[in-house]
Amino acid sequence: MLNRLSQLAALALATSAAALNIILTNDDSWASANIRATYEALKADGHNVLLIGPAVQQSGKGGTFVLPTTNITAPGGEFGTIPVGAPYYGQDLNDSSIRYLNGTPAACAIYGLDIIAPTFFKNQSVDLLVSGPNEGQNNGPFLYALSGTIGAAYTAVGRGIPSIAFSAQNGTHRSYTTNTGLPSDPANLAGRLAANLVAALANGIDTSKERLLPLGVGLSVNLPLFGPTSNCTEPPFTLTRMTGGAVTNKVVIDPSTGFPIYQNVIPKALNTAYNGVPILPGESIVSATCRTAVSVFSIDYDAPSKVAEPVQLQLLPVVGTSKLA
Ligand SMILES: *[C@@H]1O[C@H](CO)[C@@H](O)[C@H](O)[C@H]1NC(C)=O
Ligand SMILES: *[C@@H]1O[C@H](CO)[C@@H](O)[C@H](O)[C@H]1NC(C)=O
Ligand SMILES: *[C@@H]1O[C@H](CO)[C@@H](O)[C@H](O)[C@H]1NC(C)=O
Ligand SMILES: *[C@@H]1O[C@H](CO)[C@@H](O)[C@H](O)[C@H]1NC(C)=O
Ligand SMILES: *[C@@H]1O[C@H](CO)[C@@H](O)[C@H](O)[C@H]1NC(C)=O
C-alpha cells in the first residue's frame, strides 16, 4: 500500500502527458472562468479538448438528465454569451472547440460523447471526461449526489468513460472575461491543478491499450480556497475518501421569517465508511486546509455483501431461498 502511495505521489509531480482526447464540461456554464481556464491549461499540455458546457448555470442538478426541447430562451446564455432565440446547441465564434448545449451537465456530457465526439475526435475514442472545476467544493456523499459537476462525471463513468470531477472552494460565479490572466487568478490555479492531475493520471499509460481508470470508477477532486483571503497556491494532491467529516443538511425554522432553512450537520450515518481505504482522511477535512483532496469513487452503489447479508436473510421469507447464492 505504502509503495503504491509513494508511486502515486511521484506521478502527481508529473507535468506532461501524451495527448488525450478529452471532453470538458461543468455545471456553472460554458462561459465560467474555471472551465475556460481549465480548457486553456489542458490545451497547453497538448491535449485535444472538446469543451461542451451548459448554456446557462446548472448548479445542483446532480445527474438529472434534461435534453433541450427549445432554442435559447430569455434571458439568453450565461453572462450574455448567447442571444435569445439562438439554436439549442452552438459554438464560440472564435473557437469551434468551445461549445454549449441548452441542457443539464449530465446531458452535456453524453451529448458530447454521442453527438459531437465522433466527428470532433475523428472516430478515435474519448480517453477522459473532465468536469468542472466547480465554483464551490463538493465534499462527501451528500454533495456527490447533489452536484451537477460530479453528476456529469458519474453519468459518463456509467458509459465507460474515465472521468474526473473537480470542485474548487472559491465559489464566486465569474465569467471567463473576468480572468486576470495572472497565474495566481483562482481560475488559473484551479485549471493548472486540474491539468496536472490529468497528466499524473495519464503518465506512462498508452490509452490505445489501457484505460485511464477501471470500468465504473471515477475521481472526485476537491481544491482548497484560492483568492485574496488565502495564501494557498500550491496545494499538494492528497489521497482521501468521501466519508469522514462530511456534511449534510438539517432543516430548522428561521425564527425571524418563519420559513424553513437548512443548516450543516456532520452525522455518523453519512460518514459510515463501508468502502474505500479506511486509513485515508476524509476529503472534507483535507480540502479545508491547503491540500487538494483526491477521492476514488465507484458507481456500484450496492451495499457490500457483509452489510447486505443480514438484511437479505431477514427478507428470505418473502424473496425465497433460491434467490441467495
Ligand atoms: C431553433 O433554431 C434553429 C436554428 O436557428 C431553427 O432552424 C429552428 O426553427 C428553431 N426552432 C424553434 C422551435 O424555434
Ligand atoms: C472574438 O475575438 C474578438 C477579437 O479578439 C473579440 O473582440 C470578441 O469578443 C471575441 N468573441 C467571443 C465570443 O469571444
Ligand atoms: C466515423 O465512422 C463512421 C462509421 O464507420 C464513418 O461513416 C465516418 O466517415 C467516420 N468519420 C470520420 C471523421 O472518420
Ligand atoms: C474568489 O475569487 C474571486 C476572483 O478572483 C475573488 O474576487 C474572491 O475574493 C475570491 N474569494 C475568496 C473567498 O477569496
Ligand atoms: C498571507 O501571508 C502573508 C505573509 O506571510 C501574511 O501576512 C498574511 O496574513 C497571510 N494571509 C492569509 C489570509 O493567511
Side-chain angles (χ1 to χ4, degrees), residues 6-27:
S6 46
Q7 252 177 340
L8 285 169
L11 288 179
L13 296 172
T15 52
S16 69
L20 302 173
N21 294 332
I22 299 175
I23 295 178
L24 174 62
T25 191
N26 74 346
D27 74 2

Side-chain angles (χ1 to χ4, degrees), residues 34-303:
N34 280 351
I35 195 172
R36 297 293 179 104
T38 301
Y39 172 78
E40 298 297 340
L42 290 169
K43 295 273 283 193
D45 282 1
H47 301 300
N48 309 315
V49 188
L50 165 66
L51 188 164
I52 170 77
V56 298
Q57 172 66 274
Q58 293 275 357
S59 244
K61 295 287 167 74
T64 308
F65 201 96
V66 182
L67 290 165
T69 53
T70 64
N71 285 335
I72 301 296
T73 53
E78 201 70 13
F79 303 119
T81 47
I82 314 166
V84 174
Y88 66 81
Y89 160 65
Q91 68 181 53
D92 185 284
L93 295 177
N94 292 337
D95 187 340
S96 65
S97 300
I98 298 181
R99 314 211 181 168
Y100 70 83
L101 178 77
N102 196 14
T104 54
C108 285
I110 304 305
Y111 183 90
L113 181 65
D114 290 334
I115 307 297
I116 317 174
T119 36
F120 190 88
F121 296 118
K122 302 185 175 62
N123 284 343
Q124 292 176 334
S125 58
V126 174
D127 298 311
L128 181 69
L129 177 127
V130 171
S131 186
N134 189 60
E135 294 164 344
Q137 285 178 336
N138 289 305
N139 287 305
F142 178 63
L143 274 299
Y144 171 92
L146 202 107
S147 161
T149 296
I150 306 183
Y154 58 65
T155 303
V157 167
R159 283 289 307 274
I161 307 301
S163 304
I164 312 176
F166 291 94
S167 307
Q169 189 172 347
N170 188 312
T172 303
H173 185 45
R174 309 165 58 196
S175 162
Y176 69 100
T177 56
T178 68
N179 193 311
T180 57
L182 300 170
S184 61
D185 189 291
N188 296 334
L189 288 172
R192 180 33 50 205
L193 281 160
N196 287 354
L197 192 75
V198 168
L201 191 67
N203 191 292
I205 293 191
D206 176 354
T207 54
S208 68
K209 301 197 176 80
E210 219 183 322
R211 299 171 52 84
L212 289 178
L213 289 166
L215 274 179
V217 166
L219 300 180
S220 177
V221 179
N222 277 282
L223 308 167
L225 181 66
F226 304 130
T229 61
S230 158
N231 277 341
C232 181
T233 56
E234 290 178 4
F237 294 114
T238 306
L239 292 176
T240 51
R241 59 189 167 90
M242 283 173 55
T243 51
V247 300
T248 185
N249 287 351
K250 73 167 187 174
V251 174
V252 297
I253 304 299
D254 185 333
S256 58
T257 66
F259 279 95
I261 53 168
Y262 65 83
Q263 291 176 349
N264 284 341
V265 281
I266 306 179
K268 195 175 165 191
L270 188 80
N271 289 291
T272 304
Y274 288 127
N275 298 314
V277 180
I279 59 158
L280 293 178
E283 59 189 7
S284 309
I285 296 160
V286 164
S287 63
T289 65
C290 185
R291 286 181 291 171
T292 298
V294 182
S295 295
V296 182
F297 70 80
S298 116
I299 55 166
D300 176 3
Y301 303 120
D302 274 294

